[in-house]
PDB file of all heavy atoms in Angstrom:
ATOM      1  N   LEU A  11     -10.290  -2.493  17.301  1.00 98.00           N
ATOM      2  CA  LEU A  11     -10.829  -1.156  17.109  1.00 98.00           C
ATOM      3  C   LEU A  11     -10.414  -0.670  15.725  1.00 98.00           C
ATOM      4  O   LEU A  11      -9.242  -0.416  15.469  1.00 98.00           O
ATOM      5  CB  LEU A  11     -10.303  -0.203  18.178  1.00 98.00           C
ATOM      6  CG  LEU A  11     -10.606   1.282  17.958  1.00 98.00           C
ATOM      7  CD1 LEU A  11     -12.112   1.543  17.876  1.00 98.00           C
ATOM      8  CD2 LEU A  11      -9.947   2.134  19.039  1.00 98.00           C
ATOM      9  N   ILE A  12     -11.383  -0.571  14.827  1.00 97.00           N
ATOM     10  CA  ILE A  12     -11.123  -0.164  13.445  1.00 97.00           C
ATOM     11  C   ILE A  12     -11.789   1.183  13.205  1.00 97.00           C
ATOM     12  O   ILE A  12     -13.001   1.332  13.410  1.00 97.00           O
ATOM     13  CB  ILE A  12     -11.646  -1.213  12.456  1.00 97.00           C
ATOM     14  CG1 ILE A  12     -10.860  -2.513  12.620  1.00 97.00           C
ATOM     15  CG2 ILE A  12     -11.553  -0.698  11.021  1.00 97.00           C
ATOM     16  CD1 ILE A  12     -11.375  -3.671  11.791  1.00 97.00           C
ATOM     17  N   THR A  13     -11.004   2.166  12.823  1.00 97.00           N
ATOM     18  CA  THR A  13     -11.554   3.497  12.573  1.00 97.00           C
ATOM     19  C   THR A  13     -11.653   3.755  11.078  1.00 97.00           C
ATOM     20  O   THR A  13     -10.776   3.369  10.302  1.00 97.00           O
ATOM     21  CB  THR A  13     -10.700   4.585  13.239  1.00 97.00           C
ATOM     22  OG1 THR A  13      -9.320   4.393  12.917  1.00 97.00           O
ATOM     23  CG2 THR A  13     -10.871   4.535  14.748  1.00 97.00           C
ATOM     24  N   ARG A  14     -12.730   4.427  10.709  1.00 95.00           N
ATOM     25  CA  ARG A  14     -12.961   4.828   9.323  1.00 95.00           C
ATOM     26  C   ARG A  14     -13.378   6.288   9.307  1.00 95.00           C
ATOM     27  O   ARG A  14     -13.717   6.862  10.352  1.00 95.00           O
ATOM     28  CB  ARG A  14     -14.039   3.948   8.677  1.00 95.00           C
ATOM     29  CG  ARG A  14     -13.691   2.466   8.700  1.00 95.00           C
ATOM     30  CD  ARG A  14     -14.628   1.634   7.844  1.00 95.00           C
ATOM     31  NE  ARG A  14     -15.975   1.568   8.361  1.00 95.00           N
ATOM     32  CZ  ARG A  14     -16.945   0.800   7.834  1.00 95.00           C
ATOM     33  NH1 ARG A  14     -16.699   0.050   6.779  1.00 95.00           N
ATOM     34  NH2 ARG A  14     -18.159   0.790   8.357  1.00 95.00           N
ATOM     35  N   LEU A  15     -13.354   6.878   8.127  1.00 92.00           N
ATOM     36  CA  LEU A  15     -13.650   8.301   8.013  1.00 92.00           C
ATOM     37  C   LEU A  15     -14.757   8.522   6.983  1.00 92.00           C
ATOM     38  O   LEU A  15     -14.483   8.750   5.800  1.00 92.00           O
ATOM     39  CB  LEU A  15     -12.382   9.073   7.603  1.00 92.00           C
ATOM     40  CG  LEU A  15     -12.531  10.590   7.501  1.00 92.00           C
ATOM     41  CD1 LEU A  15     -12.959  11.184   8.840  1.00 92.00           C
ATOM     42  CD2 LEU A  15     -11.212  11.213   7.051  1.00 92.00           C
ATOM     43  N   PRO A  16     -16.016   8.452   7.410  1.00 79.00           N
ATOM     44  CA  PRO A  16     -17.101   8.751   6.468  1.00 79.00           C
ATOM     45  C   PRO A  16     -17.021  10.201   6.002  1.00 79.00           C
ATOM     46  O   PRO A  16     -16.671  11.076   6.799  1.00 79.00           O
ATOM     47  CB  PRO A  16     -18.357   8.522   7.316  1.00 79.00           C
ATOM     48  CG  PRO A  16     -17.907   7.697   8.486  1.00 79.00           C
ATOM     49  CD  PRO A  16     -16.495   8.107   8.745  1.00 79.00           C
ATOM     50  N   PRO A  17     -17.320  10.489   4.737  1.00 71.00           N
ATOM     51  CA  PRO A  17     -17.721   9.520   3.709  1.00 71.00           C
ATOM     52  C   PRO A  17     -16.556   9.072   2.842  1.00 71.00           C
ATOM     53  O   PRO A  17     -16.747   8.503   1.776  1.00 71.00           O
ATOM     54  CB  PRO A  17     -18.708  10.343   2.883  1.00 71.00           C
ATOM     55  CG  PRO A  17     -18.104  11.727   2.913  1.00 71.00           C
ATOM     56  CD  PRO A  17     -17.459  11.879   4.273  1.00 71.00           C
ATOM     57  N   THR A  20     -15.362   4.924   2.907  1.00 76.00           N
ATOM     58  CA  THR A  20     -15.806   4.245   4.123  1.00 76.00           C
ATOM     59  C   THR A  20     -15.917   2.739   3.930  1.00 76.00           C
ATOM     60  O   THR A  20     -15.622   1.967   4.848  1.00 76.00           O
ATOM     61  CB  THR A  20     -17.170   4.809   4.573  1.00 76.00           C
ATOM     62  OG1 THR A  20     -17.054   6.228   4.691  1.00 76.00           O
ATOM     63  CG2 THR A  20     -17.597   4.209   5.894  1.00 76.00           C
ATOM     64  N   ASP A  42     -14.883  -4.039  15.746  1.00 97.00           N
ATOM     65  CA  ASP A  42     -15.649  -2.898  16.234  1.00 97.00           C
ATOM     66  C   ASP A  42     -15.272  -1.686  15.382  1.00 97.00           C
ATOM     67  O   ASP A  42     -14.193  -1.109  15.533  1.00 97.00           O
ATOM     68  CB  ASP A  42     -15.322  -2.640  17.704  1.00 97.00           C
ATOM     69  CG  ASP A  42     -16.236  -1.578  18.310  1.00 97.00           C
ATOM     70  OD1 ASP A  42     -17.240  -1.212  17.657  1.00 97.00           O
ATOM     71  OD2 ASP A  42     -15.948  -1.110  19.428  1.00 97.00           O
ATOM     72  N   LEU A  43     -16.160  -1.313  14.457  1.00 96.00           N
ATOM     73  CA  LEU A  43     -15.886  -0.225  13.519  1.00 96.00           C
ATOM     74  C   LEU A  43     -16.426   1.091  14.072  1.00 96.00           C
ATOM     75  O   LEU A  43     -17.603   1.179  14.446  1.00 96.00           O
ATOM     76  CB  LEU A  43     -16.519  -0.529  12.162  1.00 96.00           C
ATOM     77  CG  LEU A  43     -15.726  -1.475  11.252  1.00 96.00           C
ATOM     78  CD1 LEU A  43     -15.684  -2.882  11.801  1.00 96.00           C
ATOM     79  CD2 LEU A  43     -16.321  -1.500   9.861  1.00 96.00           C
ATOM     80  N   ARG A  44     -15.549   2.101  14.109  1.00 96.00           N
ATOM     81  CA  ARG A  44     -15.918   3.400  14.659  1.00 96.00           C
ATOM     82  C   ARG A  44     -15.500   4.516  13.711  1.00 96.00           C
ATOM     83  O   ARG A  44     -14.463   4.427  13.054  1.00 96.00           O
ATOM     84  CB  ARG A  44     -15.217   3.616  16.003  1.00 96.00           C
ATOM     85  CG  ARG A  44     -15.562   2.573  17.056  1.00 96.00           C
ATOM     86  CD  ARG A  44     -16.958   2.793  17.609  1.00 96.00           C
ATOM     87  NE  ARG A  44     -17.289   1.799  18.628  1.00 96.00           N
ATOM     88  CZ  ARG A  44     -18.358   1.874  19.417  1.00 96.00           C
ATOM     89  NH1 ARG A  44     -19.186   2.905  19.289  1.00 96.00           N
ATOM     90  NH2 ARG A  44     -18.596   0.933  20.307  1.00 96.00           N
ATOM     91  N   PRO A  45     -16.289   5.589  13.654  1.00 95.00           N
ATOM     92  CA  PRO A  45     -15.904   6.740  12.828  1.00 95.00           C
ATOM     93  C   PRO A  45     -14.903   7.622  13.563  1.00 95.00           C
ATOM     94  O   PRO A  45     -14.874   7.667  14.792  1.00 95.00           O
ATOM     95  CB  PRO A  45     -17.229   7.472  12.607  1.00 95.00           C
ATOM     96  CG  PRO A  45     -18.013   7.160  13.857  1.00 95.00           C
ATOM     97  CD  PRO A  45     -17.622   5.761  14.251  1.00 95.00           C
ATOM     98  N   VAL A  46     -14.077   8.305  12.781  1.00 96.00           N
ATOM     99  CA  VAL A  46     -13.174   9.312  13.331  1.00 96.00           C
ATOM    100  C   VAL A  46     -13.948  10.622  13.431  1.00 96.00           C
ATOM    101  O   VAL A  46     -14.657  10.999  12.480  1.00 96.00           O
ATOM    102  CB  VAL A  46     -11.940   9.474  12.418  1.00 96.00           C
ATOM    103  CG1 VAL A  46     -11.058  10.613  12.914  1.00 96.00           C
ATOM    104  CG2 VAL A  46     -11.154   8.176  12.340  1.00 96.00           C
ATOM    105  N   PRO A  47     -13.863  11.356  14.579  1.00 96.00           N
ATOM    106  CA  PRO A  47     -13.031  11.093  15.763  1.00 96.00           C
ATOM    107  C   PRO A  47     -13.668  10.077  16.706  1.00 96.00           C
ATOM    108  O   PRO A  47     -14.890   9.896  16.697  1.00 96.00           O
ATOM    109  CB  PRO A  47     -12.931  12.464  16.410  1.00 96.00           C
ATOM    110  CG  PRO A  47     -14.216  13.141  16.043  1.00 96.00           C
ATOM    111  CD  PRO A  47     -14.534  12.674  14.655  1.00 96.00           C
ATOM    112  N   PHE A  48     -12.808   9.462  17.531  1.00 97.00           N
ATOM    113  CA  PHE A  48     -13.290   8.482  18.497  1.00 97.00           C
ATOM    114  C   PHE A  48     -12.358   8.507  19.699  1.00 97.00           C
ATOM    115  O   PHE A  48     -11.137   8.616  19.552  1.00 97.00           O
ATOM    116  CB  PHE A  48     -13.305   7.079  17.879  1.00 97.00           C
ATOM    117  CG  PHE A  48     -13.743   5.999  18.833  1.00 97.00           C
ATOM    118  CD1 PHE A  48     -15.080   5.856  19.157  1.00 97.00           C
ATOM    119  CD2 PHE A  48     -12.819   5.134  19.411  1.00 97.00           C
ATOM    120  CE1 PHE A  48     -15.500   4.861  20.040  1.00 97.00           C
ATOM    121  CE2 PHE A  48     -13.223   4.140  20.282  1.00 97.00           C
ATOM    122  CZ  PHE A  48     -14.569   4.000  20.598  1.00 97.00           C
ATOM    123  N   ASP A  49     -12.944   8.394  20.901  1.00 97.00           N
ATOM    124  CA  ASP A  49     -12.175   8.309  22.132  1.00 97.00           C
ATOM    125  C   ASP A  49     -12.443   6.967  22.791  1.00 97.00           C
ATOM    126  O   ASP A  49     -13.604   6.513  22.860  1.00 97.00           O
ATOM    127  CB  ASP A  49     -12.561   9.439  23.093  1.00 97.00           C
ATOM    128  CG  ASP A  49     -12.104  10.796  22.589  1.00 97.00           C
ATOM    129  OD1 ASP A  49     -10.928  10.913  22.198  1.00 97.00           O
ATOM    130  OD2 ASP A  49     -12.931  11.739  22.573  1.00 97.00           O
ATOM    131  N   HIS A  59      -5.604  -1.649  17.617  1.00 98.00           N
ATOM    132  CA  HIS A  59      -6.261  -0.587  16.848  1.00 98.00           C
ATOM    133  C   HIS A  59      -5.715  -0.600  15.433  1.00 98.00           C
ATOM    134  O   HIS A  59      -4.491  -0.635  15.222  1.00 98.00           O
ATOM    135  CB  HIS A  59      -6.009   0.777  17.494  1.00 98.00           C
ATOM    136  CG  HIS A  59      -6.401   1.940  16.622  1.00 98.00           C
ATOM    137  ND1 HIS A  59      -7.593   1.988  15.926  1.00 98.00           N
ATOM    138  CD2 HIS A  59      -5.755   3.106  16.333  1.00 98.00           C
ATOM    139  CE1 HIS A  59      -7.671   3.121  15.258  1.00 98.00           C
ATOM    140  NE2 HIS A  59      -6.562   3.815  15.475  1.00 98.00           N
ATOM    141  N   TRP A  62      -8.489   2.095   9.270  1.00 96.00           N
ATOM    142  CA  TRP A  62      -8.789   1.821   7.862  1.00 96.00           C
ATOM    143  C   TRP A  62      -8.936   3.177   7.181  1.00 96.00           C
ATOM    144  O   TRP A  62     -10.032   3.609   6.825  1.00 96.00           O
ATOM    145  CB  TRP A  62     -10.065   1.000   7.735  1.00 96.00           C
ATOM    146  CG  TRP A  62      -9.861  -0.474   7.961  1.00 96.00           C
ATOM    147  CD1 TRP A  62      -8.697  -1.103   8.294  1.00 96.00           C
ATOM    148  CD2 TRP A  62     -10.860  -1.501   7.862  1.00 96.00           C
ATOM    149  NE1 TRP A  62      -8.905  -2.462   8.425  1.00 96.00           N
ATOM    150  CE2 TRP A  62     -10.219  -2.735   8.158  1.00 96.00           C
ATOM    151  CE3 TRP A  62     -12.212  -1.506   7.567  1.00 96.00           C
ATOM    152  CZ2 TRP A  62     -10.905  -3.956   8.163  1.00 96.00           C
ATOM    153  CZ3 TRP A  62     -12.903  -2.706   7.567  1.00 96.00           C
ATOM    154  CH2 TRP A  62     -12.256  -3.921   7.853  1.00 96.00           C
ATOM    155  N   LEU A  63      -7.817   3.869   7.013  1.00 94.00           N
ATOM    156  CA  LEU A  63      -7.806   5.223   6.495  1.00 94.00           C
ATOM    157  C   LEU A  63      -6.797   5.335   5.367  1.00 94.00           C
ATOM    158  O   LEU A  63      -5.662   4.866   5.489  1.00 94.00           O
ATOM    159  CB  LEU A  63      -7.432   6.211   7.605  1.00 94.00           C
ATOM    160  CG  LEU A  63      -8.349   6.229   8.846  1.00 94.00           C
ATOM    161  CD1 LEU A  63      -7.734   7.095   9.930  1.00 94.00           C
ATOM    162  CD2 LEU A  63      -9.735   6.744   8.474  1.00 94.00           C
ATOM    163  N   ALA A  74      -9.117  15.160  10.868  1.00 96.00           N
ATOM    164  CA  ALA A  74      -9.186  13.710  11.080  1.00 96.00           C
ATOM    165  C   ALA A  74      -7.813  13.161  11.463  1.00 96.00           C
ATOM    166  O   ALA A  74      -7.699  12.246  12.291  1.00 96.00           O
ATOM    167  CB  ALA A  74      -9.696  13.017   9.822  1.00 96.00           C
ATOM    168  N   ALA A  77      -7.224  14.095  15.097  1.00 97.00           N
ATOM    169  CA  ALA A  77      -8.040  13.228  15.954  1.00 97.00           C
ATOM    170  C   ALA A  77      -7.456  11.820  16.024  1.00 97.00           C
ATOM    171  O   ALA A  77      -7.455  11.186  17.084  1.00 97.00           O
ATOM    172  CB  ALA A  77      -9.478  13.187  15.442  1.00 97.00           C
ATOM    173  N   SER A  78      -6.938  11.325  14.897  1.00 98.00           N
ATOM    174  CA  SER A  78      -6.334   9.992  14.861  1.00 98.00           C
ATOM    175  C   SER A  78      -5.054   9.954  15.675  1.00 98.00           C
ATOM    176  O   SER A  78      -4.745   8.942  16.316  1.00 98.00           O
ATOM    177  CB  SER A  78      -6.072   9.578  13.414  1.00 98.00           C
ATOM    178  OG  SER A  78      -7.279   9.446  12.690  1.00 98.00           O
ATOM    179  N   LEU A  81      -6.005   9.613  19.199  1.00 98.00           N
ATOM    180  CA  LEU A  81      -6.388   8.231  19.463  1.00 98.00           C
ATOM    181  C   LEU A  81      -5.147   7.353  19.609  1.00 98.00           C
ATOM    182  O   LEU A  81      -5.106   6.450  20.455  1.00 98.00           O
ATOM    183  CB  LEU A  81      -7.293   7.716  18.346  1.00 98.00           C
ATOM    184  CG  LEU A  81      -7.819   6.288  18.491  1.00 98.00           C
ATOM    185  CD1 LEU A  81      -8.552   6.092  19.811  1.00 98.00           C
ATOM    186  CD2 LEU A  81      -8.746   5.938  17.319  1.00 98.00           C
TER     187      LEU A  81
END
Side-chain angles (χ1 to χ4, degrees):
L11 170 59
I12 295 174
T13 49
R14 302 190 292 186
L15 182 60
T20 306
D42 188 11
L43 279 68
R44 300 286 180 169
V46 175
F48 178 76
D49 291 312
H59 168 45
W62 279 2
L63 301 171
S78 296
L81 182 55

